[in-house]
Amino acid sequence: MSLIRYAVVALVPATLAGLIYAVASGLGQSEVTAQRFVNLQEGASPHAGFRRAHAKGFCLAGDFESNGALASYTDAALFQQGQTPFVGRISIAGTNPTAPDMRSPVRSLALSFGTGDADSWRTAMNTPPVMAVATPEAFYAQLAALAPDPATGQRDPARIQAFFASHPETRAFLAWQKTYVPTQSFASERYHSINAFYLVNREGRRQAVRWAAVPAAPVANATPLDAENPQALQDEFMARLKQGPVVFDLVFSLAGTGDDENDPTVPWPETRPAISAGKLIIRATSAESAGNCKDINFDPLILPRGMAATLDPILRARSAAYAESYRRRARESL
Amino acid sequence: MPDLKPDMQPSDTYSRAARIMHWAMALLLFSLIFAGLAMVQSLQSWHLPLITLHKSFGILALILAVIRLVIRLTHVPPALPDNLSAAQQRGARGAHVLLYAAMFAMPLSGLLMQGAAGRPVEFFGLFTIPALLPVQLETYAVLRELHGWGAWGLIALVLLHITAALHHGLIRRDTVLRSML
Ligand code: HEM
Ligand code: HEM
């Protein structure tokens, strides 16, 4: 009898410990977790203290001048008529914080409004209008296919081709890639939300939208860029800002019937209503350092009252992966 | 003998309020631990609802911890059995102090790290708790690691606590386990 009692004393905590250990090491998780994702992104030699994606960038400050055109779609404070300051970050895709500006296939604009009240909003936008794939598992496979072979340091074209051949949903992305010509300035790119979100108005009515930051006026370069300068785009932007603010329109596109707000691989028809919500006026830049945009996780699920997340699985995955990247680089900053 | 109110009388069992708080919080803390460990890995669509619930229930745990501490300080807990050595008694008391410390450290680090990351925290959709700290990466790092490693500290303490309780109830067969049932 006393043996059974000893067994109970030992087995109850041991079972609990086993269960906790199993959950902590991935019980019930799908193949791809936030940690595995960030491991793949950072590669074998992570750049300590930097973002695990879009590592190279600089900080922005400016104001959003809302024209109130979205006010009937959302009661978000920043979309009522008026001005809201923001900080932000312009970056290039890639994990190398010293990569040459002109080599990156993707450029980005991230914005942060408010810090910690119910009206806070973060958005991270990229130059492509769509994602190549629609699920985190497929995106993981895409990154793995694009990663250089550790032995040769080269990408494997056969592997890349096989990936795209087996993923027909990449069609719209590939079509965009064929026609996209990188511009000579961060100021002349269009930056897309890619994922869709809901605007929610006072009556609780939801409207699915995507948005893009679009240059407010045509942007011309005074002199061609020096393609050998690894800082070419950053230098150009700083010089441009000395002449005056850089201004984008924040244009919202409204989903219509038949548009799937949960699928970021399919563009919505050009005929969808587009509403400019106002002007993003970038007034200043600074190098990334403590106290500015370095401290910010541009998690796309930080949404103000009056906006809500769609069920787009990529969106959910971004939030979890950004948190893991944020944790790692925060720890490395100590 | 001073004139004690009835619930200030030393007795063999914890007060009813203390027992209810104990078991409610045991359930809550286990749920928070399992949810926390699972959600930080998940890329699935349940990630967002779970993390939202984790924050709301985490704040609830903080509120309950305050109430519980007040109950603990205003009620005399049952005495430990006489046959425990002085060292054992000190160990038991020390473990209880650490459990209380963890019950505060976990929700406080969770709430404050959201502030240091500039994130609003909603309480069951009822109201938004504004950021309690300025946005700062280093502060976030300390609080995030405290939350992550603190969870393992809490887990270790709780397992030790369960083992000791079962040992009292099944092996020593004294009053200790019964006092909380
Ligand atoms: C499953 C898909 C994706 C994953 C796993 C992923 C992962 C990441 C990670 C780990 C970071 C670093 C975050 C930090 O440390 O703060 C990051 C940054 C970023 N991501 Fe993604 N990403 C995904 C999709 C996207 C999409 C669709 C967009 C564009 C709409 C995007 C735009 C950005 C931008 C602009 C940044 C840099 C933000 C900044 O300047 O801090 N990402 N991403
Ligand atoms: C007694 C209360 C709590 C317990 C036991 C608890 C437990 C946990 C655990 C075990 C984790 C996983 C940690 C890891 O694997 O590194 C976690 C993560 C987390 N907790 Fe809590 N938690 C509590 C309260 C809170 C509160 C009050 C908040 C915020 C208001 C919060 C916010 C979070 C967040 C945001 C994460 C994920 C962090 C990330 O994604 O990097 N927790 N929690």
Side-chain angles (χ1 to χ4, degrees), chain A residues 5 23 29 34 122 299 327, chain B residues 38 41 118-119 145 170 173:
Chain A
R5 287 205 216 96
V23 170
Q29 300 288 341
R122 308 275 165 85
D299 179 343
R327 180 187 187 179
Chain B
Q41 303 171 59
R119 301 184 74 120
E145 297 309 316
L170 296 176
R173 303 221 238 170

Side-chain angles (χ1 to χ4, degrees), chain A residues 23 32 50 52 61 72 83 91 101 130 144 177 182 214 237 241 248-250 258 268 292 300 312 314 319 329:
Chain A
V23 170
V32 184
F50 290 91
R52 281 0 190 213
S72 61
Q83 191 156 308
S91 62
D101 283 344
V130 286
Q177 213 175 30
V214 179
F237 196 85
L241 213 55
F248 291 89
D249 285 317
L250 191 60
W268 296 346
N292 59 23
D312 180 345
I314 293 285
S319 186
R329 64 189 180 86

Side-chain angles (χ1 to χ4, degrees), chain A residues 323-324 327, chain B residues 29 32-33 36-37 39-40 51 54-55 58-59 61 102-103 106-108 110-111 113-114 121 140 144 147-148 151-152 154:
Chain A
E324 177 65 18
R327 180 187 187 179
Chain B
L29 292 179
L32 285 165
I33 288 169
L37 294 175
M39 77 195 185
V40 293
I51 214 160
H54 178 89
K55 293 181 197 175
I59 293 163
M103 275 190 288
M106 286 306 297
L108 280 176
L111 188 59
M113 80 183 178
Q114 296 299 286
V121 176
Y140 176 79
R144 177 64 185 83
H147 201 67
W152 287 107
L154 175 63

Side-chain angles (χ1 to χ4, degrees), chain B residues 32-50:
Chain B
L32 285 165
I33 288 169
F34 279 115
L37 294 175
M39 77 195 185
V40 293
Q41 303 171 59
S42 171
L43 296 180
Q44 301 306 309
S45 52
W46 48 264
H47 172 260
L48 179 63
L50 193 61

